[in-house]
C-alpha cells in the first residue's frame, strides 16, 4: 500500500471513501440509516437558481451544509423561509434534529433567532474569528 497526497482529487476517489465510510457506519449503528439529499432552491422569475439551501439527512439528523441568499435579496425573510422548508423536511422524515456550522462573520445570530444553539466552537478559525457548530432538536 502507498499513501498518496493529491491536491487535485477526483469525484471517483471521493465516492470510494464515502461508500466505505457509509457502509462501516451502517454496520456500526445496527441498521441502514437514511441518506436523503435536500435542496431548497431560491429561483428567480426565469426559474433560474439564485440561492438556496443544500443539505443531507444522515443518521437521522439533517446536516445543512450550505445556505445562501444573494445580498440584494437579504432582509426579506427568505433565509427564514428556506430554513422553515428544511425543518419541515426534517419533521416529515421523522429526523431527530438539524445541525450546521457558520463562521463569526456569517449568520450565527440568525440561526440562534431560529432556536439553534451552539454546541461547539473552533476559536481563531479563520484567524481573528471563530467557527460555530449549532444544532436544534426537533
Amino acid at each position: 500500500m502507498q499513501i498518496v497526497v493529491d491536491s487535485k482529487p477526483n469525484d471517483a476517489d471521493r465516492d470510494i471513501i464515502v461508500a466505505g465510510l457509509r457502509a462501516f457506519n451502517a454496520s456500526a449503528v445496527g441498521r441502514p440509516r437514511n441518506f436523503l439529499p435536500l435542496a431548497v432552491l431560491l429561483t428567480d422569475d426565469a426559474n433560474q437558481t439564485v440561492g438556496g439551501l443544500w443539505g443531507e439527512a444522515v443518521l437521522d439528523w439533517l446536516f445543512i451544509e450550505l445556505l445562501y441568499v444573494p445580498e440584494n435579496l437579504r432582509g426579506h425573510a427568505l433565509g427564514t423561509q428556506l430554513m422553515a422548508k428544511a425543518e419541515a423536511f426534517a419533521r416529515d422524515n421523522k429526523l431527530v434534529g438539524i445541525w450546521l456550522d457558520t463562521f463569526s462573520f456569517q449568520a450565527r445570530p440568525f440561526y440562534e433567532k431560529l432556536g439553534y444553539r451552539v454546541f461547539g466552537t473552533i476559536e481563531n478559525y479563520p484567524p481573528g474569528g471563530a467557527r460555530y457548530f449549532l444544532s436544534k432538536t426537533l
Side-chain angles (χ1 to χ4, degrees):
M1 288 285 115
Q2 298 177 14
I3 297 177
V4 177
V5 176
D6 189 347
S7 63
K8 296 180 182 177
N10 63 51
D11 290 341
D13 292 331
R14 184 181 189 284
D15 291 344
I16 290 168
I17 296 166
V18 168
L21 185 57
R22 284 185 175 172
F24 173 80
N25 290 349
S27 70
V29 297
R31 65 180 173 89
R33 299 289 181 130
N34 52 343
F35 291 96
L36 304 172
L38 173 65
V40 183
L41 305 177
L42 183 58
T43 60
D44 63 14
D45 292 337
N47 206 30
Q48 297 297 307
T49 300
V50 297
L53 180 149
W54 195 267
E56 181 178 49
V58 179
L59 300 175
D60 296 327
W61 279 77
L62 176 61
F63 169 56
I64 296 177
E65 181 181 5
L66 306 167
L67 174 68
Y68 173 70
V69 175
E71 192 169 346
N72 66 319
L73 298 175
R74 294 177 192 161
H76 300 284
L78 294 171
T80 301
Q81 292 174 52
L82 292 168
M83 290 297 291
K85 294 287 188 187
E87 287 191 24
F89 169 88
R91 290 181 199 286
D92 290 348
N93 285 282
K94 299 179 179 23
L95 301 179
V96 174
I98 302 172
W99 73 280
L100 53 89
D101 64 273
T102 191
F103 290 99
S104 53
F105 59 87
Q106 290 179 329
R108 178 181 169 182
F110 165 75
Y111 295 118
E112 289 176 324
K113 181 180 79 173
L114 297 176
Y116 290 77
R117 300 287 174 248
V118 173
F119 68 85
T121 304
I122 302 174
E123 298 293 343
N124 208 34
Y125 180 57
R131 186 172 187 175
Y132 302 104
F133 297 85
L134 298 96
S135 67
K136 181 176 182 177
T137 303
L138 301 174

